[in-house]
Amino acid sequence: MGDKSHIRKNFPVMGMSCAACAVCLESMFKNTKGVKDAGVNYANQTAWAEIEKGLDLNALKQAIQAIGYDIIITEENAQAIQEEVQIKHHQQLKVRTILSVVLTLPVFIIGMFFMDMPYGNWISMVLSAPIVFFIGKSFFITAYKQAKHGKVNMDTLVALSTLIAFVFSMFNTFYPQFWRQQGLHPHVYYEAASVVITFVLLGKLLEERAKSNTSSAIKKMMGLQPNKVTVIINRIEQLIAIAEVKKGDLLLVKPGEKIPVDGIVKQGNSFVDESMITGEPLAVIKQEGMTVFAGTINQKGSFRFEAQKVGKETLIAQIIKTVQDAQGSKAPIQKTVDKIAGIFVPVVMGISILTFLAWMIFGGENAFTHALLTSVTVLVIACPCALGLATPTAIMVGVGMGAENHLLIKDAESLELAHRINAIILDKTGTITLGKPMVTDVWTAPEFDLSQQKVLVAMEKLSEHPLADAVVNYYDHEGTRDILLHRFESITGKGAKAHYNNLPYFIGNHNLIISNGIYLTSTQANISQNWQKQAKTVVFFANNHQVLAMIAIADSIKTTSKQAVNLLQKQGIEVFMLTGDNIQTATAVALQVGITQFKAEVLPSDKAKFVKKLQAQGKIVAMVGDGINDSEALAQADVSIAMGKGSDIAMDVAKITIINSDLQLVAKAILLSKKTVATIHQNLFWAFIYNIIGIPLAAGILYPVNGFLLNPMIAGAAMALSSVSVVSNSLRLKSFKL
């Protein structure tokens, strides 16, 4: 702990195509001089490393580039650079795949149906050469770089099988008499080499598309801070860049502006929307001596405040850092195919070599011919197309089904893990509730008439209080027209006062009414207390004699929330509620929806800590939220779910977004996960069975029994068929109804 000679740095990574790449990359990081420890997150395309202070990052970058990958070492705009590179790579991969399909189709038709056509071999060679050596050159480049460091991956197998198949076919095209002299037909396998590359590229494209929705959460969070701020220097207002703000500077915040840095109010007052931190919809009053936070939004007033924390010290900067760390430290799910990739490739290569040697030793008269054919057939039939397609095709269908059911799913990780969830944490505001204050109840005195209603609405229209809009919206449908008020006065922390027809009127909280000598009747007091027990805010409207109206305002619970909680609990999932709101409101909401485990007045960092606490107990935790204040917990959770009507940040950090914000869809997401994972397991089973049966056949295991040798062309067709079967099985998911 506390090793001051090393620092931790995060690096966006480029060039990873499977989890095996992450393992290889992590190994290279750890073996680089000056690196104490490192980790690579394939799902997030990032790496972290504990490095010696002063280490030349360019040397680290060169070491990574040596094995075919790359990292971004500049801190400025690193995320934007990575996103740009990923978009460019996806476009290039798409073009390569389309071009490969176009060129492969005639080669496949000739090889499978018109193998004896005149010049057929030459046409196939001309068409397949650019597929192997141009479109598929990345496989050879990566395989070569890996081989230099004694490593292999899926690209190695693709490169070996296609190169041997192509070179062998080219030899047979130029020197067919070599085999004819031995009484054998000079077969060519251009279609096998072409189909292998095409299907692998298609698999990579499907997987890229599944995880191409690159998170821009960090960039959007940065956008919460304004680029320019107004600073007071010698009583003169000056506009400067936010980067120039220093501790102790006096800053001015005007109505509607975002607060640039953390600080303390020195002069003036206003209501500030802090929902990005607390998650609560009601703006809070800020007066002299109170703290304000960067990224929060000032409402109608203006004030001056002294900068206390700037740059990386602000609360929003700390949230950004926490999100980055939580995303980077989360180990990617090792898909079954990726777990065995490091073993599968060298084993297949070993089998191919052993096959060649066995035939050379025991093959008799046609030993070399059979040795070459069987070793090539082993490499061709063992090509990892079906394995590579098993996961992404099922994921793509699952993602499509999710979209049809208002579930936006970003990656394979979420679908693979969601079915194992046994604890769910729900944010209150915007998740269980609508997240918008609304008038729920109104009581009026017999003396309350239309003219007084007009006064009430007119006062609320002039008010700076965040609840005023709820009242105005409630009465607007009645067509209340504006009237002219006199001597309107906003009373900070209490409400407002105005005159109409020379009579005074008051609107605000209970303190405002009492301070002006107006008292509630027993009936009014009982109604008010009952509303407050239900966690509703009560607004009082009075003249100088009596209370004329009482209005209850609350963040209403969604109609489906109780049913959703009940559904999750029936599945044996523990449901928790965390909120930044007060204990009274939290208790009222929890009771209404049937949640027994909840916490109130919780800070954003406390939510993330609670997630960690449950994870430490061995639980698979899902976090459901809608605000920036939930982003840390969302990043920390095993499965993160955002509400579609929430903040962009929450939706970017979360791996699943409920587009229509219906909490019942959480249960549907879990069900979809179960079906998708079952399909992935079926795909992998058939892909492995295919290899377990196909490889021995390709090696010639039946030759001593009945003289059967698998033709490489048939092996190529079988390889293609295995991929088609995997895709077809994935498409069966579409018939399932959520």
Side-chain angles (χ1 to χ4, degrees):
M1 297 290 290
D3 183 359
K4 295 182 180 179
S5 64
H6 288 76
I7 55 173
R8 176 170 168 145
K9 279 191 171 291
N10 294 322
F11 304 97
V13 178
M14 294 172 292
M16 288 195 293
S17 59
C18 65
C21 295
V23 175
C24 175
L25 193 56
E26 188 171 308
S27 173
M28 179 55 75
F29 262 108
K30 291 179 177 178
N31 290 319
T32 302
K33 187 178 179 181
V35 178
K36 182 181 178 182
D37 195 13
V40 177
N41 188 325
Y42 166 60
N44 201 33
Q45 298 287 296
T46 59
W48 62 267
E50 283 188 29
I51 61 176
E52 290 179 357
K53 288 184 177 179
L55 177 70
D56 183 4
L57 294 181
N58 285 305
L60 182 62
K61 183 181 176 76
Q62 289 169 7
I64 300 305
Q65 288 175 331
I67 56 169
Y69 309 107
D70 201 0
I71 57 173
I72 299 172
I73 58 175
T74 175
E75 291 187 14
E76 189 175 348
N77 296 325
Q79 296 289 333
I81 294 170
Q82 183 188 34
E83 190 173 347
E84 186 179 338
V85 169
Q86 286 174 335
I87 292 171
K88 186 178 179 181
H89 172 70
H90 183 266
Q91 290 299 322
Q92 290 174 342
L93 183 59
K94 187 177 180 180
V95 171
R96 285 168 58 203
T97 304
I98 293 171
L99 187 58
S100 187
V101 169
V102 170
L103 292 174
T104 296
L105 195 58
V107 176
F108 180 77
I109 292 171
I110 291 171
M112 299 303 293
F113 306 108
F114 302 101
M115 57 197 78
D116 295 322
M117 70 176 283
Y119 304 107
N121 290 355
W122 294 93
I123 295 170
S124 295
M125 182 182 72
V126 170
L127 291 175
S128 60
I131 298 172
V132 175
F133 298 109
F134 175 68
I135 296 172
K137 67 179 180 180
S138 61
F139 299 118
F140 296 97
I141 293 170
T142 303
Y144 172 70
K145 288 181 176 180
Q146 294 275 320
K148 283 201 303 181
H149 293 83
K151 301 179 185 297
V152 294
N153 64 3
M154 289 293 196
D155 288 350
T156 307
L157 202 56
V158 175
L160 270 177
S161 61
T162 53
L163 182 63
I164 293 173
F166 184 84
V167 171
F168 181 70
S169 300
M170 192 167 64
F171 176 84
N172 289 355
T173 302
F174 282 98
Y175 303 105
Q177 63 274 16
F178 176 84
W179 300 106
R180 288 175 181 151
Q181 289 171 1
Q182 300 179 52
L184 296 170
H185 185 74
H187 288 292
V188 294
Y189 309 104
Y190 295 118
E191 80 291 339
S194 301
V195 167
V196 164
I197 287 175
T198 300
F199 270 99
V200 173
L201 286 175
L202 182 61
K204 285 181 179 289
L205 183 64
L206 286 169
E207 191 168 2
E208 282 283 322
R209 189 174 295 171
K211 58 187 180 69
S212 64
N213 218 339
T214 308
S215 170
S216 56
I218 306 302
K219 182 174 66 176
K220 289 184 178 179
M221 278 202 229
M222 294 294 189
L224 289 171
Q225 293 176 291
N227 295 322
K228 299 286 185 179
V229 298
T230 304
V231 63
I232 310 294
I233 301 175
N234 297 326
R235 299 184 181 180
I236 299 174
E237 296 181 13
Q238 294 183 23
L239 202 62
I240 64 171
I242 190 169
E244 297 175 19
V245 176
K246 303 184 293 295
K247 289 182 184 179
D249 282 352
L250 188 64
L251 306 177
L252 172 66
V253 181
K254 298 175 182 178
E257 289 185 344
K258 291 175 182 175
I259 294 170
V261 296
D262 294 1
I264 295 176
V265 178
K266 292 295 182 182
Q267 184 182 346
N269 60 75
S270 180
F271 283 92
V272 174
D273 179 359
E274 292 188 338
S275 59
M276 54 81 67
I277 295 173
T278 64
E280 301 314 311
L282 303 183
V284 294
I285 189 167
K286 294 295 180 180
Q287 297 171 296
E288 189 174 326
M290 300 183 76
T291 304
V292 290
F293 301 100
T296 56
I297 304 170
N298 184 30
Q299 300 291 286
K300 299 177 182 178
S302 64
F303 59 89
R304 297 180 180 188
F305 75 100
E306 182 183 303
Q308 295 286 314
K309 293 180 179 179
V310 299
K312 294 181 179 179
E313 296 177 347
T314 63
L315 182 61
I316 187 66
Q318 292 299 313
I319 291 176
I320 291 169
K321 184 179 184 300
T322 306
V323 170
Q324 286 177 319
D325 289 346
Q327 287 181 330
S329 64
K330 193 194 309 180
I333 295 174
Q334 297 292 317
K335 303 179 183 70
T336 307
V337 63
D338 293 323
K339 284 181 178 178
I340 61 95
I343 301 171
F344 180 79
V345 176
V347 165
V348 169
M349 291 170 62
I351 292 172
S352 179
I353 293 169
L354 286 174
T355 300
F356 185 86
L357 293 175
W359 276 101
M360 288 300 293
I361 297 169
F362 306 108
E365 185 180 350
N366 295 316
F368 178 74
T369 304
H370 289 157
L372 192 58
L373 285 173
T374 52
S375 58
V376 168
T377 306
V378 166
L379 289 172
V380 169
I381 204 166
C383 187
C385 292
L387 293 175
L389 288 169
T391 298
T393 51
I395 292 299
M396 285 305 297
V397 176
V399 167
M401 283 189 65
E404 291 172 8
N405 289 274
H406 308 289
L407 287 166
L408 181 63
I409 302 165
K410 286 189 178 181
D411 64 2
E413 182 178 344
S414 301
L415 270 185
E416 285 180 334
L417 195 56
H419 72 288
R420 293 172 54 199
I421 292 169
N422 50 26
I424 286 184
I425 299 170
L426 304 177
D427 171 49
K428 178 183 73 69
T429 307
T431 302
I432 296 174
T433 67
L434 292 169
K436 184 180 180 181
M438 297 176 66
V439 173
T440 59
D441 306 273
V442 175
W443 175 91
T444 57
E447 297 82 4
F448 185 74
D449 57 24
L450 183 59
S451 65
Q452 290 168 335
Q453 179 181 304
K454 290 180 179 180
V455 173
L456 184 156
V457 175
M459 290 181 72
E460 288 289 56
K461 284 186 176 180
L462 292 173
S463 173
E464 297 174 357
H465 198 282
L467 292 180
D469 289 340
V471 177
V472 172
N473 291 335
Y474 177 78
Y475 282 109
D476 256 2
H477 69 277
E478 296 185 15
T480 306
R481 288 185 290 182
D482 291 341
I483 59 174
L484 186 61
L485 299 176
H486 300 282
R487 290 183 284 173
F488 177 84
E489 179 186 353
S490 180
I491 305 170
T492 303
K494 292 184 178 181
K497 176 182 178 181
H499 284 74
Y500 179 70
N501 287 341
N502 295 318
L503 292 175
Y505 289 92
F506 307 90
I507 191 163
N509 59 25
H510 190 231
N511 289 337
L512 175 68
I513 305 300
I514 295 295
S515 63
N516 285 278
I518 305 162
Y519 297 93
L520 302 179
T521 66
S522 59
T523 301
Q524 292 169 342
N526 288 335
I527 293 171
S528 172
Q529 288 169 9
N530 185 46
W531 287 348
Q532 288 173 348
K533 285 178 183 178
Q534 297 174 41
K536 297 177 181 179
T537 301
V538 183
V539 175
F540 299 89
F541 175 67
N543 57 21
N544 60 339
H545 299 299
Q546 65 177 21
V547 172
L548 297 170
M550 296 189 300
I551 302 168
I553 299 174
D555 181 10
S556 300
I557 293 172
K558 295 175 185 175
T559 55
T560 58
S561 290
K562 185 175 182 178
Q563 187 178 349
V565 170
N566 185 44
L567 195 59
L568 292 169
Q569 290 171 337
K570 280 184 177 178
Q571 294 180 13
I573 298 172
E574 284 189 90
V575 181
F576 303 84
M577 183 184 81
L578 301 183
T579 177
D581 211 339
N582 60 68
I583 186 67
Q584 189 178 23
T585 303
T587 303
V589 171
L591 285 173
Q592 288 183 65
V593 296
I595 295 175
T596 57
Q597 303 179 85
F598 61 91
K599 284 190 172 187
E601 299 176 6
V602 177
L603 296 173
S605 57
D606 293 331
K607 290 186 179 182
K609 288 175 184 175
F610 191 78
V611 173
K612 288 181 182 178
K613 179 183 175 182
L614 293 179
Q615 289 171 329
Q617 297 171 12
K619 297 184 186 296
I620 304 298
V621 183
M623 173 68 197
V624 187
D626 76 318
I628 295 170
N629 62 304
D630 300 316
S631 59
E632 293 180 51
L634 287 167
Q636 179 62 43
D638 298 295
V639 178
S640 47
I641 304 172
M643 292 290 155
K645 294 178 182 177
S647 70
D648 288 343
I649 311 306
M651 286 187 283
D652 275 351
V653 173
K655 299 300 183 184
I656 299 175
T657 298
I658 298 175
I659 298 170
N660 64 358
S661 295
D662 184 352
L663 202 55
Q664 289 185 105
L665 288 181
V666 174
K668 284 193 175 184
I670 294 171
L671 182 60
L672 179 60
S673 169
K674 288 178 181 177
K675 292 296 180 182
T676 304
V677 169
T679 302
I680 291 171
H681 289 164
Q682 291 164 9
N683 288 348
L684 291 174
F685 171 79
W686 288 112
F688 282 118
I689 286 294
Y690 156 78
N691 277 294
I692 289 169
I693 296 172
I695 291 174
L697 285 177
I701 196 170
L702 291 180
Y703 188 79
V705 179
N706 56 14
F708 176 78
L709 273 181
L710 187 64
N711 190 307
M713 186 184 298
I714 303 301
M719 182 275 302
L721 186 62
S722 71
S723 298
V724 170
S725 66
V726 163
V727 174
S728 300
N729 188 51
S730 296
L731 292 173
R732 285 177 57 247
L733 255 178
K734 288 189 173 183
S735 62
F736 175 71
K737 301 295 181 184
L738 286 178

